[in-house]
């Protein structure tokens, strides 16, 4: 174990928020997270903020905004992390390292992003900064275009799996109906997701609108504590294993559909934890696009390369399946405010393990896997979580 445990959390509603800034979004979750953990601002030894920004706002120096969002944090050391779509996990892992090093006993992790204030074209260009612009900036359709290329490569090698992508979208939207924090609480069904129409056009062929995650605003927060502190808390969720593995940024220099960094991160975390996928109760995985979830089935070891379609067809990853994947609705339904996503995924997992997931609850959940990635499977984070109290 990493020597630090989750003892509290909070989560805002994802979607188009009336909050005008990341500071306002942070203010929605910081005090509720501290209250949920049963601690106060004066107990916090370090603050770790995850905000991608990169042009969403002219206000940067985002790490300093946490103290502007809640009273009592004025003199607490704060730092901001950025690692593309894995920004939230980067902030969380830094907090875990901080506690494990003995530099503090309690850390606050906050992930936030305000994305909806800009025109779609500007948002798309900002997101493309998580690609290798020297080679990939002119891809039509922005980041959706990059994953459209990934889907095309996958289909060329293994056959057209558009139906299976629609099944994944339908599954996650169905799950999202039970998530009060989700941006899109609508059950579209397989037929709608599988049909190209005026309401479900191609965004970046072969990806349709229902294959793409949502541009969202939102925030999430975690309170992390040293084991001796967590032992006296109401609840505690430990990291049985956690690993971060990178891959080459430029897709031209790797097999873009292998997700090799993700595969290595999963293998290392499962090995460190001394478990197999059969020991997991559920997984929260990074479905920024449905093709990502399909390939992630293969990367985590549920199927051999090219056989991920069988996983969804056989119902393995449905909520009532052998290994539910994205019972929260995933990024597809919940939304994807970049800096908040990794924190949100860990909040969702902790809620399940502590039996606090409400209508989303996976029965008898005891151990969880979380996979959050930055870019097109470039920065890959895998956490194995289990409740200790």
């Amino acid at each position: 174990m990493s020597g630090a445990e989750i003892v509290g959390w909070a989560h805002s509603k994802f979607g188009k928020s009336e909050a005008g800034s990341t500071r306002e979004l942070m203010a929605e979750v910081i005090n509720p997270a501290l209250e949920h953990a049963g601690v106060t601002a004066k107990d916090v030894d370090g603050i770790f903020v995850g905000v991608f920004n990169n042009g969403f706002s002219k206000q940067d120096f985002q790490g300093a905004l946490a103290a502007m969002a809640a009273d009592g944090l004025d003199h607490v050391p704060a730092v901001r992390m950025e690692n593309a779509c894995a920004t939230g996990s980067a902030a969380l892992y830094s907090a875990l390292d901080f506690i494990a090093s003995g530099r503090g006993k309690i850390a606050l992790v906050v992930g936030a992003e305000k994305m909806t204030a800009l025109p779609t074209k500007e948002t798309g260009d900002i997101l493309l900064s998580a690609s290798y612009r020297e080679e990939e900036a002119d891809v039509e359709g922005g980041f959706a275009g990059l994953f459209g290329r990934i889907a095309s490569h996958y289909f060329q090698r293994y056959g057209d799996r558009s139906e299976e992508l629609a099944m994944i979208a339908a599954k996650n939207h169905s799950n999202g109906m039970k998530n009060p924090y989700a941006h899109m609480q609508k059950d579209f069904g397989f037929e709608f997701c599988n049909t190209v129409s005026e309401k479900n056009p191609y965004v970046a062929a072969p990806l349709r609108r229902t294959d793409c995650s949502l541009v969202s605003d939102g925030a999430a927060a975690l309170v992390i504590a040293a084991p001796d502190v967590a032992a006296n808390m109401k609840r505690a969720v430990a990291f049985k294993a956690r690993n971060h593995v990178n891959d080459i940024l430029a897709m031209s220099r790797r097999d873009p559909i292998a997700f090799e960094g993700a595969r290595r991160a999963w293998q290392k975390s499962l090995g460190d934890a001394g478990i197999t996928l059969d020991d997991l109760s559920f997984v929260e995985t990074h479905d920024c696009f449905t093709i990502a979830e399909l390939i992630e089935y293969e990367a985590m070891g549920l199927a051999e390369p090219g056989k991920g379609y069988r996983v969804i067809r056989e119902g393995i990853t449905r909520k009532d399946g052998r290994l539910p994947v994205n019972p929260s609705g995933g990024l597809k339904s919940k939304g994807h405010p970049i800096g908040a996503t990794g924190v949100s995924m860990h909040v969702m997992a902790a809620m399940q393990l502590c039996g606090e997931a409400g209508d989303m609850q996976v029965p008898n959940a005891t151990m969880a896997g979380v996979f959050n990635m930055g870019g097109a499977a470039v920065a890959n984070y895998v956490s194995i979580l289990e409740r200790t109290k």
Side-chain angles (χ1 to χ4, degrees):
M1 293 186 184
S2 69
E5 303 180 27
I6 297 170
V7 296
W9 56 79
H11 200 292
S12 78
K13 178 79 165 64
F14 283 3
K16 186 174 177 59
S17 174
E18 293 182 1
S21 66
T22 51
R23 178 190 62 77
E24 292 178 46
L25 289 167
M26 291 180 202
E28 294 180 20
V29 296
I30 290 178
N31 282 331
L34 296 175
E35 291 168 8
H36 189 248
V39 301
T40 65
K42 67 180 178 59
D43 298 313
V44 177
D45 299 312
I47 304 169
F48 297 82
V49 174
V51 176
F52 179 65
N53 196 15
N54 201 46
F56 284 126
S57 168
K58 289 186 177 181
Q59 174 65 62
D60 221 329
F61 198 10
Q62 298 270 339
L65 294 181
M68 297 283 291
D71 293 335
L73 298 173
D74 306 35
H75 305 297
V76 181
V79 64
R80 175 268 195 99
M81 300 294 167
E82 181 277 312
N83 217 7
C85 305
T87 287
S89 289
L92 171 59
Y93 277 33
S94 295
L96 295 171
D97 290 341
F98 172 75
I99 299 296
S101 73
R103 292 178 56 212
K105 290 288 190 179
I106 295 178
L108 172 66
V109 181
V110 188
E113 209 73 60
K114 176 70 179 178
M115 301 176 69
T116 65
L118 297 179
T120 300
K121 186 175 181 179
E122 287 185 47
T123 297
D125 186 60
I126 289 169
L127 294 177
L128 262 181
S129 61
S131 70
Y132 186 51
R133 280 189 178 272
E134 189 169 315
E135 297 178 359
E136 299 160 5
D138 62 345
V139 173
E140 187 176 350
F143 224 78
L146 289 178
F147 274 86
R149 282 187 177 182
I150 289 171
S152 294
H153 285 313
Y154 189 93
F155 289 3
Q156 288 167 11
R157 191 178 303 178
Y158 298 122
D160 189 325
R161 295 303 173 195
S162 296
E163 283 195 5
E164 287 80 9
L165 298 190
M167 291 178 183
I168 290 171
K171 167 183 71 73
N172 290 347
H173 277 293
S174 177
N175 288 347
M177 290 284 291
K178 302 294 181 68
N179 186 347
Y181 305 109
H183 183 159
M184 183 66 74
Q185 293 169 311
K186 186 173 182 179
D187 189 355
F188 288 102
F190 167 73
E191 290 300 331
F192 179 84
C193 294
N194 194 45
T195 303
V196 178
S197 65
E198 184 179 347
K199 292 186 177 180
N200 189 31
Y202 282 121
V203 175
L207 299 181
R208 301 144 296 196
R209 181 176 291 163
T210 50
D211 292 308
C212 307
S213 61
L214 301 157
V215 172
S216 309
D217 307 327
L222 290 161
V223 179
I224 309 296
D228 59 327
V229 175
N232 298 312
M233 298 293 192
K234 180 179 179 181
R235 65 186 66 77
V237 174
F239 288 75
K240 194 172 179 67
R242 60 180 177 96
N243 282 281
H244 168 200
V245 177
N246 259 50
D247 208 340
I248 294 294
L249 177 61
M251 290 202 296
S252 65
R253 293 182 54 190
R254 56 187 166 99
D255 182 346
I257 66 173
F259 280 30
E260 179 64 18
R263 185 186 68 81
R264 289 171 181 258
W266 269 107
Q267 284 187 340
K268 186 72 165 62
S269 289
L270 291 171
D272 289 350
I275 64 168
T276 68
L277 291 175
D278 291 336
D279 295 305
L280 297 178
S281 303
F282 66 94
V283 167
E284 286 288 334
T285 201
H286 194 103
D287 60 321
C288 50
F289 300 91
T290 52
I291 185 63
E293 180 167 329
L294 183 69
I295 298 174
E296 286 157 21
Y297 292 162
E298 300 168 9
M300 72 174 74
L302 276 176
E304 296 178 358
K307 304 298 184 183
Y309 73 95
R310 294 178 178 175
V311 174
I312 188 65
R313 280 205 169 271
E314 294 171 10
I316 291 170
T317 54
R318 292 174 58 89
K319 192 173 179 182
D320 58 356
R322 176 163 59 86
L323 182 62
V325 171
N326 288 333
S328 70
L331 283 59
K332 183 71 212 57
S333 175
K334 177 160 57 77
H336 185 20
I338 304 297
T341 291
V343 182
S344 168
M345 296 173 83
H346 286 83
V347 169
M348 292 294 145
M351 290 173 68
Q352 292 280 3
L353 295 175
C354 291
E356 299 179 31
D359 290 341
M360 293 184 287
Q361 189 65 51
V362 173
N364 306 310
T366 58
M367 194 176 300
V370 175
F371 173 68
N372 179 208
M373 72 179 180
V378 177
N380 303 279
Y381 292 79
V382 172
S383 303
I384 306 297
L385 303 174
E386 65 177 349
R387 185 178 184 178
T388 56
K389 187 178 180 182

